[in-house]
Structure formats: structure tokens, C-alpha cells
Amino acid sequence: MPSTPGGLVYLIVVALSAVGLLVVAFGPWRRGVGVIGVALLLGALMRALLRDRDAGMLRVRRHRWVDVLTLGGVGTALLVLASVIPNQSS
């Protein structure tokens, strides 16, 4: 069991990302990328809400806003890309 709430959130984000990767590999890739994007947005939200001492492994950089912008930006980019990439015709 993680010693901080942020450690638990980190494990949830990693688990959701792993599920997303499995969906990408074996199912509809857009849904899998969406799951990963939502997981990263969850991490960004929790990093914004948790105090530095409670952030655990969500605290990667010295400044909270860098972590939040990085996680939020990548999560948003994945969701946008999954929704705007056109289907490929075979």
C-alpha cells in the first residue's frame, strides 16, 4: 500500500494506462487512447489538488504547475488526437 494519497493515485493512473494500452493492442485503438488520456487528466487534477507532501510519486518536478500542465497537456493532446484522426480506408 502506498504511503501517500498521491502514491495511490499514481498507481491508479498507471493501471488505467495499462488497460488503455491493452485496449489499443487488442481492441478499438481510439477508445484505448481515450482511456490513457483520461488517466493522465485524472493525474493532473489530483496533482493540482494534493499538497506537495501528499502528492507522492505524482510530484515529479519542483513546481506543481509544471506537473499539472505536463500531465494535463499530454492527456488533452491524446484525447484530441484520438478524436480528430480520420479513419483509414482499407
Side-chain angles (χ1 to χ4, degrees):
M1 185 75 176
S3 61
T4 62
L8 180 61
V9 173
Y10 177 81
L11 292 177
I12 292 169
V13 169
V14 169
L16 286 173
S17 297
V19 168
L21 286 173
L22 287 172
V23 173
V24 167
F26 300 110
W29 69 269
R30 289 177 198 271
R31 184 169 293 146
V33 171
V35 169
I36 297 169
V38 168
L40 293 176
L41 289 176
L42 170 68
L45 174 67
M46 294 309 295
R47 177 65 180 109
L49 295 176
L50 290 171
R51 296 176 294 189
D52 282 346
R53 70 173 185 240
D54 293 333
M57 292 189 293
L58 287 175
R59 184 178 182 207
V60 176
R61 292 153 196 93
R62 182 179 306 200
H63 301 289
R64 175 186 315 210
W65 61 270
V66 176
D67 290 333
V68 171
L69 287 176
T70 302
L71 286 167
V74 173
T76 301
L78 287 175
L79 289 172
V80 168
L81 287 173
S83 65
V84 301
I85 293 176
N87 289 328
Q88 299 289 325
S89 58
S90 302

